[in-house]
Every structure is written in C-alpha cells, then in structure tokens.
Amino acid sequence: MNSPIMIACAHGTSNTQGAAEVNALRAAIAELRPGLDVREAYVDVQQPDLVDVVAGLPEGKAAVVVPLLLSVGYHVKVDIARAVKSRPGSAAAAPLGPDPRLAALLDQRLREAGTTDNDVVVLAAAGSSNPNAAVSVEELLGQLRQLRSNRMVAAYGASAQPSVPDAVAMLREELAGGAGAGDSAGAVDVGGRVVIASYLLAPGFFHDQLAKAGADVVTEPLLPSATLAEIALDRYDAAVATMGETPGEAPAAAAGEEPNEASPDAQRSGFFKVLRRFVTKYFPR
C-alpha cells in the first residue's frame, strides 16, 4: 500500500503492564487497518526513540507521527514537532484527546468503579507545563459533565495546578461541609465519596501516585479499550488529509512544490490545503 507509515509514538514507561498495554494498542491499530505500517516510538524512558525512528524511515516514504498522548503538551509541541521538522514528507497528527469518545470511556470506568451520583470526582491528568494541555483537559471535563451529574474538578499529577492531592482534599472538605464548601461546591450530597477518574492511558508512575492522593476510589486507566485505536486512526487520517492525500493513494507533491499547471481547480485545492495547515498549526486540538 502507498499509505504513509504511522509512527505510533507513546511517552514511554518502566511499568511492565503499562508498556504491554501500549503495545497492545499498536497491535489493535494495525488490526483495524490491515496493511498499514504501524511503527513503535517513544519520547522518553523507552526505546526506540522517536528521533531515531524518523531518521531510519525508508527514503522517500511519507510518515505520520500519531501521539499516543491525551493532550497537547511539551512532547507534542517540542519533541514530536522537532522530529517531524527534521524529516521532509512527514507530519504530526493531533493527540488522542480531547474527544467525546474518551469522555464516554471515562464514564464507563466510573460506572465500573461503582461511582454514584452522590460521589464527587477528580479528573486526574498527568499535567504539563504547556497551558494548552490544561485547556484540553478542561474541554474533556466539559464533555464528561454532559454525561454525569457529579461535582467534578480537573487536577494534575505534575506541572499544573491544582495537584490531585489538593483537589481530593478540597472535595473532601466540601463533602464534610467545611470552609471549602461555598458557592463553588454546587449541589453536593454529604455522605458521598471522593473518586479519582484516572485520565491516563495505562498503569505507570502517575497512575501509581493516584493511590496515594487520599481518595476513596481510583478508577482504572483508559486502556485496554478499542476506542483508543479508533481515535488514533482518526487522527492519522486527518493528518494524511492535511498532507494533501488520502489513505491508500500515492503521496501528493512534496510540501512547497507547485503543480506544473495552475488550473482553477488546482488553485482552489492549494488554497484549502494552506488553510488546513494554518488551522492545524495555530489551532491544535
């Protein structure tokens, strides 16, 4: 097939189960799209490193880096962007989140954990120094609020505020009718529990920390779930379309090249390609 290679790039973890879950996600992607060349890469902890994978691509073969990450952050905006820039004919897809399907999956995990309408929920994300990451998490939180009536707040494992332990303490004080239970508390039914909704892909360092945050219940991570593979392929297809081609077709002209004959249709096509690139660059999901 002439489809661009998919480089399914994860953060990396030293947790054996977490690594296995991410590898299973890549296998699920390949199973959903037979014939697609899905390659392994990481931005931290594990090998092969993304930079090396990109450098080792076959000459003249297009590739799309799909971040197996839940929001825009340093790794997307710097590590992945830098690797893609180093290789003509490659592109970066949007991260997996936010997405309404992830909100539905979180709702499923909350139900599996026995969460009731009386409980309060901390949506726990890894965190990033990039403010766009918090925007993505808040968008996901808004999608989750459309599915559940619980009092919910977002919190982070690192690099952003509030921290998960601080959010747990605040909500527990609200449940107890303490000083924190002001107008912001909403209609909280005293007697409920504090539940952490793990907005993490798989077991690992950050998920381990959630058990130490003082909540009554911590949900399982998002994996395993076929939903993540479907979203990854959607991100890949969107990036391929932005490159000016569709999966299964031969790659279009290289970026920056103009068609030999600038017909009206070609001019309109070129305009929309430029517009898509602009939106993708300056308004990332």
Side-chain angles (χ1 to χ4, degrees):
M1 293 179 65
N2 292 321
S3 300
I5 294 168
M6 176 195 283
I7 302 175
C9 182
H11 179 275
T13 178
S14 58
N15 182 288
T16 302
Q17 182 184 352
E21 294 284 11
V22 173
N23 284 333
L25 172 56
R26 291 193 186 92
I29 292 169
E31 185 176 354
L32 286 175
R33 187 70 59 83
L36 178 62
D37 187 348
V38 180
R39 303 200 178 187
E40 176 183 15
Y42 303 92
V43 291
D44 201 358
V45 184
Q46 289 181 258
Q47 296 294 323
D49 184 82
L50 174 62
V51 173
D52 296 333
V53 173
V54 171
L57 290 172
E59 187 68 28
K61 182 65 176 178
V64 172
V65 179
V66 177
L68 301 184
L69 303 167
L70 294 173
S71 62
V72 174
Y74 180 88
H75 292 305
V76 172
K77 301 296 286 184
V78 177
D79 293 330
I80 292 176
R82 186 177 295 158
V84 166
K85 186 177 180 180
S86 72
R87 172 79 184 203
S90 62
L96 302 177
D99 190 287
R101 289 168 289 184
L102 293 180
L105 183 53
L106 280 166
D107 179 47
Q108 177 183 330
R109 293 287 182 264
L110 286 165
R111 286 186 280 108
E112 291 169 351
T115 307
T116 72
D117 291 343
N118 293 334
D119 297 330
V120 293
V121 176
V122 176
L123 178 64
S128 171
S129 58
N130 188 309
N132 288 327
V135 173
S136 296
V137 174
E138 289 292 340
E139 182 177 343
L140 192 284
L141 180 61
Q143 294 166 348
L144 185 58
R145 282 177 173 146
Q146 295 177 17
L147 303 176
R148 304 193 64 90
S149 61
N150 302 83
R151 159 85 163 131
M152 292 185 279
V153 298
Y156 305 92
S159 303
Q161 296 296 324
S163 70
V164 174
D166 286 348
V168 169
M170 178 190 74
L171 291 182
R172 194 171 294 288
E173 187 175 24
E174 289 184 5
L175 287 176
D183 294 338
S184 65
V188 176
D189 188 338
V190 175
R193 302 169 301 168
V194 179
V195 178
I196 292 177
S198 178
Y199 188 43
L200 301 168
L201 272 186
F205 174 79
F206 283 117
H207 187 74
D208 290 344
Q209 299 308 301
L210 299 184
K212 306 173 185 178
D216 300 299
V217 178
V218 178
T219 70
E220 293 297 316
L222 298 176
L223 288 173
S225 171
T227 298
L228 277 300
E230 294 166 358
I231 295 173
L233 282 169
D234 286 348
R235 300 294 187 260
Y236 168 84
D237 290 340
V240 170
T242 302
M243 294 169 73
E245 63 186 306
T246 56
E249 295 182 353
E257 293 182 359
E258 297 294 335
N260 292 332
E261 295 182 7
S263 67
D265 287 343
Q267 291 176 352
R268 284 192 293 270
S269 176
F271 170 79
F272 286 113
K273 287 177 185 177
V274 171
L275 178 60
R276 282 195 297 268
R277 292 192 187 104
F278 176 85
V279 172
T280 301
K281 180 177 180 181
Y282 292 103
F283 299 95
R285 293 187 62 181

